[in-house]
Amino acid sequence: MDIVVKGRKTEVPERFRKHVAEKLKLEKIQKLDGKVISLDVEVSKEHNPRQADRCDRVEITLHSRGPVIRAEAAAADPYAALDLATGKLEARLRKQHDKRHDRRGNGRLSAAEVVDVVPGVAQLNSTGETAAQEAAADAVPTTMVGSLRVQGEGPLVVREKNHVAAPMTLDQALYEMELVGHDFYLFVDSDSKEPSVVYRRHAYDYGVIHLRTDPLAESEAGGAGGALGG
């Protein structure tokens, strides 16, 4: 398993790279997920003096033959941020490990086992893109307008992604949302076969939006914008 350490708008000293290798214990990670392929560690720095207590951010992304698992944290220095992010990553790995073994007892496949059983399943990178999509994205000229990323000559598109995903249940979507640490998760509902979004509301409450296609609906009809606030 490879560990790739990179900096975003900051230099990563060799001392920190060695500390990452010591902190992310490969034996422990492989025990929780024997199909892990690589770990990406990205270090970034916020130069705003008002955020001095959270100026260093570390994001860890684990790639395996299953769901991508991501953990990130910010602190006053990169070493403290790495400690926090590592704790989150290990907690999510244990959760995935325990759920995988529970499912095996019920004769069900875990998400990590789908690649071995289902032929032709696409391998995704850390941003959820296939290798072909990643290569195509690199070929498009990209410029920065302030803090916005503009691809091509327009119209203005901050970022666009295409995902290949098998239909899943609401429970599985909630589970995979927790693994990547996001507040929402887009998926294809296995019952309706329609796109849906599950999102975090308040405390431990969740909401779900189901999008129903209607070929008779007028093109001017309003979409689901702003619906996450409900």
Side-chain angles (χ1 to χ4, degrees), residues 29-43:
I29 291 175
Q30 289 176 325
K31 185 176 180 180
L32 293 172
D33 187 346
K35 299 180 180 181
V36 62
I37 299 171
S38 64
L39 279 169
D40 288 345
V41 179
E42 183 177 270
V43 183

Side-chain angles (χ1 to χ4, degrees), residues 8-9 141-152 156-158:
R8 179 158 56 90
K9 298 181 180 180
T142 302
T143 57
M144 296 298 298
V145 180
S147 61
L148 298 179
R149 185 184 302 274
V150 181
Q151 293 183 338
L156 179 63
V157 176
V158 178

Side-chain angles (χ1 to χ4, degrees), residues 32-33 64 66-70 91-103 108-113 168-182 184-185 187 198 200 206:
L32 293 172
D33 187 346
S64 71
V68 172
I69 301 177
R70 182 178 293 109
R92 288 168 184 167
L93 275 172
R94 282 193 295 269
K95 182 178 180 180
Q96 182 198 38
H97 178 268
D98 294 343
K99 189 165 186 175
R100 180 168 60 242
H101 281 271
D102 290 343
R103 287 185 170 184
R108 299 169 60 186
L109 290 175
S110 70
E113 296 171 308
M168 65 178 66
T169 64
L170 175 59
D171 286 344
Q172 181 66 20
L174 283 168
Y175 169 61
E176 298 206 15
M177 181 182 73
E178 293 295 339
L179 286 182
V180 297
H182 288 174
F184 69 94
Y185 193 83
F187 68 103
V198 64
R200 196 188 314 275
Y206 298 95

Side-chain angles (χ1 to χ4, degrees), residues 73-87:
D77 64 81
Y79 295 90
L82 177 66
D83 289 344
L84 294 172
T86 301

